[in-house]
Amino acid sequence: MIVVTTENVPGFRVREVKGQCFGLVVRSRGLAGNISAGLRSLVGGEIKEYTSLLEEARRHAVDRLVENADAMGANAIVMMRFDSSEIGQTMSEIVAYGTAVDLVPEA
Amino acid sequence: MLRAAVILAVALGLLGCLIAILTAAIPVWGPAIWLAIALVLMLLERRGYKSPEAGLPRPPWQATSERFVDPETRLPVRVFFNPETGERRYVADGEERT
């Protein structure tokens, strides 16, 4: 499954557009992680707990996006974008969305 | 390491409350209960999502061109895709980057 942020994939053409697809996840760091992050924010520098939280959330969202595109019969996702928001004060919502397409090599 | 220190601090606080209750008959049941709940939640906390695995998967898993450096382990990671199920896996592929 090719996942790109561009509209076109060099060397391929779009045979069929399957439609929009997205993968969404809401994650939290947990009690110990949030307390650690709060303490670390007092000192300054990278807040590793939240870095790993957001990294994992994006991976999880892309995994779900790919799974959904595969269920639609697509072999690629173009124009992939992320969007994020906060739920409560400790939870982060990440959505990865794009257009599921069927790509074939250009003749 | 900071997470372990936080858990240790909560455990010590709970221990202190229990000692105060048992030896000095100080009624600190409220803090003790909250510390106990916090300790259980911290120990049961789910951590991580698909940490990089060792060993290359066999077909039908296919290697994609996606590669990145895992910020926690500093290992280069390659993404594999299973076209039969639509699943993705993250496999450590190389030595730790300093």
Side-chain angles (χ1 to χ4, degrees):
Chain A
M1 175 80 65
I2 299 171
V3 182
V4 295
T5 57
T6 54
E7 189 177 347
N8 301 304
V9 179
F12 292 85
R13 65 175 179 85
V14 175
R15 178 167 62 185
E16 183 184 356
V17 174
K18 300 291 186 180
Q20 62 84 22
C21 58
F22 69 89
L24 183 146
V25 68
V26 180
R27 291 182 74 90
S28 170
R29 193 62 254 188
L31 186 58
N34 284 318
I35 293 172
S36 304
L39 292 171
R40 211 185 285 273
S41 70
L42 297 175
V43 182
E46 183 187 2
I47 312 302
K48 296 181 184 196
E49 289 78 13
Y50 289 148
T51 298
S52 60
L53 165 67
L54 294 174
E55 170 104 18
E56 288 161 9
R58 276 167 170 73
R59 279 189 229 164
H60 204 159
V62 171
D63 286 353
R64 287 190 169 158
L65 169 68
V66 166
E67 198 172 22
N68 291 335
D70 184 69
M72 292 166 73
N75 64 1
I77 299 162
V78 297
M79 298 291 288
M80 194 279 286
R81 298 287 186 269
F82 283 115
D83 196 8
S84 63
S85 67
E86 223 177 74
I87 297 179
Q89 289 187 334
T90 60
M91 291 177 281
S92 182
E93 177 235 347
I94 302 287
V95 60
Y97 61 93
T99 305
V101 297
D102 184 23
L103 292 182
V104 291
E106 270 179 337
Chain B
M1 193 169 125
L2 184 56
R3 182 178 174 271
V6 168
I7 292 174
L8 182 62
V10 171
L12 289 174
L14 176 61
L15 186 63
C17 286
L18 292 174
I19 290 172
I21 291 167
L22 294 171
T23 60
I26 301 173
V28 286
W29 287 106
I33 289 170
W34 281 113
L35 285 170
I37 291 170
L39 186 63
V40 169
L41 289 174
M42 288 180 186
L43 292 173
L44 294 178
E45 201 172 275
R46 273 175 270 185
R47 298 188 64 216
Y49 171 74
K50 288 188 180 179
S51 298
E53 304 170 16
L56 297 177
R58 297 180 174 203
W61 292 94
Q62 301 168 352
T64 69
S65 57
E66 287 181 56
R67 293 195 82 200
F68 60 91
V69 178
D70 183 60
E72 273 199 61
T73 62
R74 302 298 303 160
L75 289 171
V77 176
R78 181 183 286 274
V79 181
F80 283 77
F81 173 69
N82 186 338
E84 293 176 8
T85 60
E87 288 178 79
R88 282 154 56 100
R89 281 170 75 171
Y90 300 89
V91 179
D93 182 23
E95 295 191 355
E96 185 179 334
R97 298 267 185 107
T98 52

